[in-house]
């Protein structure tokens, strides 16, 4: 038996969008269940995101501390951002986010993992990249605003991040998934065996 997620779409009898925001919206679908009953399913419609686990030559990861209002916490995170343009190449978006949030560029890019953040209530898909061969980006730093104006940026050893995740001290999903995926890849076939940066992404198809 192959353990693999598969595409499937159940019949939708009706749909409506009771709320439309700046970047996301809320949709209500009337979905036909396997027994024939029709139930309401409310979920957030999301454009998708990218995140970057940027690993330097000293085995440290670039992390950012940022206030997240819904959870009333300052969270340590890895650079990340929305796929603002439909069909946008996720690698280009990830390179942009690493530049804007950390003023860093990378020579080697791989796909670390792809995840749905909360598939029971949101269709957000995130591609997490591994970036290596880091160096300072050229040009002026990106001008930040709002929550980003209060960001802290530092580099933390991978071992310390793994410890913090397992101790329940770090909670951002991209950081947690990214760090543990990195550790698993190292224990498995190695980082060079990861998928190429332009590997297909069925959840958010893009133009290479």
């Amino acid at each position: 038996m192959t353990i693999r997620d598969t595409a499937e779409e159940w019949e939708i009898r009706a749909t409506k969008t009771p709320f439309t925001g700046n970047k996301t919206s809320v949709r209500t679908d009337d979905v036909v269940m396997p027994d024939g009953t029709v139930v309401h399913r409310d979920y957030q419609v999301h454009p998708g995101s990218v995140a970057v686990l940027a690993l330097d030559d000293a085995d440290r990861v670039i992390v950012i501390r940022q206030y997240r209002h819904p959870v009333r916490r300052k969270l340590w995170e890895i650079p990340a951002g929305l796929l603002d343009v439909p069909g946008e190449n996720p690698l280009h978006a990830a390179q942009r986010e690493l530049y804007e949030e950390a003023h860093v560029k990378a020579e080697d890019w791989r796909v670390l993992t792809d995840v749905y953040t909360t598939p029971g209530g949101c269709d957000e898909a995130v591609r997490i990249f591994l970036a290596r061969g880091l160096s300072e980006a050229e040009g002026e730093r990106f001008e930040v605003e709002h929550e980003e104006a209060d960001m802290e940026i530092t580099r933390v050893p991978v071992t310390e991040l793994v410890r913090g995740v397992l101790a329940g001290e770090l909670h951002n999903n991209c950081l947690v998934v990214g760090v543990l995926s990195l550790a698993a890849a190292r224990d498995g076939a190695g980082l060079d065996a990861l998928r190429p940066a332009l590997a297909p992404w069925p959840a958010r198809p893009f133009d290479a």
Side-chain angles (χ1 to χ4, degrees):
M1 179 180 179
T2 300
I3 304 300
R4 176 178 294 181
D5 296 337
T6 57
E8 185 168 346
E9 187 167 350
W10 293 357
E11 180 186 354
I12 298 173
R13 293 282 174 84
T15 187
K16 60 183 178 180
T17 304
F19 170 79
T20 300
N22 184 33
K23 297 292 185 181
T24 66
S25 60
V26 173
R27 182 175 297 164
T28 299
D29 289 341
D30 293 345
V31 186
V32 180
M33 297 289 106
D35 63 1
T37 59
V38 179
V39 300
H40 298 298
R41 288 292 177 261
D42 302 318
Y43 59 99
Q44 183 184 19
V45 179
H46 194 284
S49 306
V50 291
V52 185
L53 194 145
L55 183 68
D56 69 14
D57 292 339
D59 209 41
R60 300 174 303 174
V61 174
I62 294 176
V63 290
I64 297 166
R65 189 171 185 239
Q66 185 170 345
Y67 177 67
R68 293 301 187 184
H69 185 70
V71 296
R72 308 302 198 270
R73 293 285 189 279
K74 273 193 170 183
L75 302 180
W76 286 105
E77 307 177 353
I78 56 178
L82 298 175
L83 289 169
D84 294 314
V85 180
E88 182 178 16
N89 187 310
L91 174 60
H92 298 166
Q95 290 169 334
R96 180 187 68 235
E97 293 300 330
L98 184 60
Y99 167 76
E100 291 182 355
E101 296 193 356
H103 201 65
V104 165
K105 61 181 180 179
E107 294 298 323
D108 185 83
W109 290 83
R110 308 291 174 107
V111 175
L112 191 52
T113 190
D114 300 322
V115 295
Y116 290 111
T117 54
T118 49
C122 179
D123 71 349
E124 181 184 15
V126 181
R127 169 156 280 188
I128 304 177
F129 289 91
L130 172 66
R132 294 179 293 174
L134 308 184
S135 61
E136 191 77 6
E138 300 173 355
E140 296 182 3
R141 287 186 171 271
F142 182 76
E143 186 174 347
V144 297
E145 60 181 0
H146 307 310
E147 290 92 343
E148 293 181 347
D150 189 47
M151 287 194 314
E152 303 171 49
I153 302 175
T154 191
R155 300 188 183 200
V156 178
V158 172
T159 53
E160 176 59 18
L161 292 176
V162 171
R163 186 208 62 78
V165 168
L166 299 180
E169 298 169 358
L170 300 170
H171 306 90
N172 174 265
N173 59 348
C174 290
L175 184 149
V176 170
V177 173
V179 166
L180 296 186
S181 294
L182 175 70
R186 284 176 163 175
D187 288 343
L191 301 185
D192 290 335
L194 291 168
R195 287 174 291 161
L198 294 178
W201 189 18
R204 292 295 185 274
F206 61 92
D207 297 324

